[in-house]
Amino acid sequence: MSKTYLVTGGAGFIGSNFIHYILERHQDILVVNVDKLTYAGNLENLKAVMDDERYAFIQADVCDREAMVRLFEQYHIDYVVNFAAESHVDRSITDPGVFVSTNVMGTLNLLDAAKSSWKTGEDSYREGVRFLQVSTDEVYGSLGPEGFFTETTPLDPHSPYSASKASADLLVKAYGDTYRMPVNITRCSNNYGPYQFPEKLIPLMINNCLNRQGLPVYGDGMQVRDWLYVEDHCKAIDLVIQRGTLGEVYNIGGHNEKPNIEIVKSIISYVAEKVDPSIDERLIRHVSDRKGHDRRYGIDPTKIREALGWEPETMFAEGIRKTIDWYLENRQWMEHVTSGSYQQYYRAMYVGR
Ligand code: NAD
Ligand code: TYD
């Protein structure tokens, strides 16, 4: 039966990959992408599906309550997949306010709009609907050298970004517990792959290598992140939508832990091999550490593996090559992002068509 996905933040990195993923795998769906188009939103990511009749784009802010209510009046929405967020830790340190507005209040607006649209009686909702909150392992705080985050690890966010994501998670949980809303929360580790904005570690390092610019490594570079290829993440989210137990939290990660410095060195070596052997580790610059920098993230994915049979398919050695190859084959995408011209893309492609 036909299903309508409301994907928020679909013009961003993971959201756009997710839209490609579901349109390729499900025939009979409608995808409504709602995005404010902040600096991180780029409709060029969705060029290939723009004319697909199963896809619609609406520019709107999740903080606009009435606009969110109107969306549910306009479309018969079955699934909400909430990616819309301010997502960069460094920006949250300099400007936390917008993180609270979008990540917390925006999620509250979506929950309320979904609740009133889906409600069929006291604590009952239309059959088959679901609200999936896309969260992060950063809500669990930082690990020492041993152990992993499980779904029962207490929340202990350190940055304004992770505090805003944890707040949103608690609201989603509260709507499940209080109003019996059909919700799920997924918490994944650091994603990488095509269409990632070059403020994040991996695309920043690729771009700087290609431009022979310094590679800023925060502190000693021994902070550990658990890298997840974005398509594996998309697959996990769609599995939770199709078969996850309502009310549950699922951690998503694939035991791909690496210290940042190792990531940077592997990027240098592959870019040197593909582009120019004179690109080397002399580009590395150790700069001041991030305030409150979490030392290590590591996910225990046992629950999603046992409950839904999810396994990551792309290990880091392969994923990083695929990612660098994508950026090399899509130099124009990066040029449009770094020159700022991607922000005119919407006007050129949509206005007056
Ligand atoms: P992104 O920054 O690339 O994209 C965010 C998107 O949300 C952009 O298209 C932006 O325009 C849109 N947006 C921002 N504010 C909005 C608003 N007020 N209303 C409507 N749209 C708005 O982020 P991403 O890396 O794709 O992350 C997506 C989600 O996944 C986020 O919720 C993030 O917290 C979570 N997450 C990301 C990672 C990661 O490694 N990138 C890891 C764990 C969790
Ligand atoms: P980032 O991609 O910002 O993701 P997050 O902070 O959400 O994990 O950063 C990944 C890691 O790389 C993190 O430990 C910070 C570090 N980092 C650098 O060392 N240099 C940089 O220029 C950036 C952007 C990040």
Side-chain angles (χ1 to χ4, degrees), residues 44-72:
E44 219 173 315
N45 301 356
L46 295 157
K47 201 160 59 174
V49 300
M50 205 173 90
D51 293 321
D52 192 319
E53 58 192 18
R54 300 170 302 151
Y55 168 77
F57 172 69
I58 292 175
Q59 186 174 14
D61 186 339
V62 293
C63 299
D64 181 344
R65 260 181 107 79
E66 277 146 34
M68 295 306 108
V69 170
R70 277 198 304 277
L71 274 173
F72 281 85

Side-chain angles (χ1 to χ4, degrees), residues 115-232:
K115 175 155 91 47
S116 21
S117 163
W118 288 345
K119 212 169 165 57
T120 52
E122 186 67 24
D123 292 343
S124 62
Y125 297 89
R126 177 151 61 79
E127 190 66 29
V129 296
R130 194 183 290 254
F131 188 107
L132 190 144
Q133 175 68 6
V134 180
S135 186
T136 165
D137 59 358
E138 302 192 28
V139 298
Y140 297 122
S142 187
L143 290 166
E146 304 291 325
F148 299 98
F149 298 132
T150 70
E151 289 78 0
T152 54
T153 301
L155 303 190
D156 181 23
H158 296 147
S159 70
Y161 163 68
S162 52
S164 69
K165 293 296 289 185
S167 309
D169 285 14
L170 291 177
L171 280 171
V172 173
K173 179 181 179 315
Y175 272 57
D177 293 344
T178 307
Y179 307 113
R180 315 309 304 165
M181 262 184 81
V183 299
N184 285 111
I185 298 170
T186 56
R187 297 188 179 130
C188 66
S189 49
N190 287 60
N191 283 219
Y192 67 107
Y195 304 117
Q196 188 167 29
F197 196 83
E199 64 185 352
K200 304 283 166 57
L201 180 73
I202 287 181
L204 177 79
M205 296 297 161
I206 296 171
N207 191 42
N208 284 15
C209 267
L210 291 174
N211 293 317
R212 281 72 167 168
Q213 283 168 347
L215 308 176
V217 171
Y218 298 164
D220 63 3
M222 290 308 291
Q223 305 83 5
V224 171
R225 298 292 181 265
D226 185 355
W227 293 93
L228 176 65
Y229 192 64
V230 65
E231 196 177 313
D232 283 329

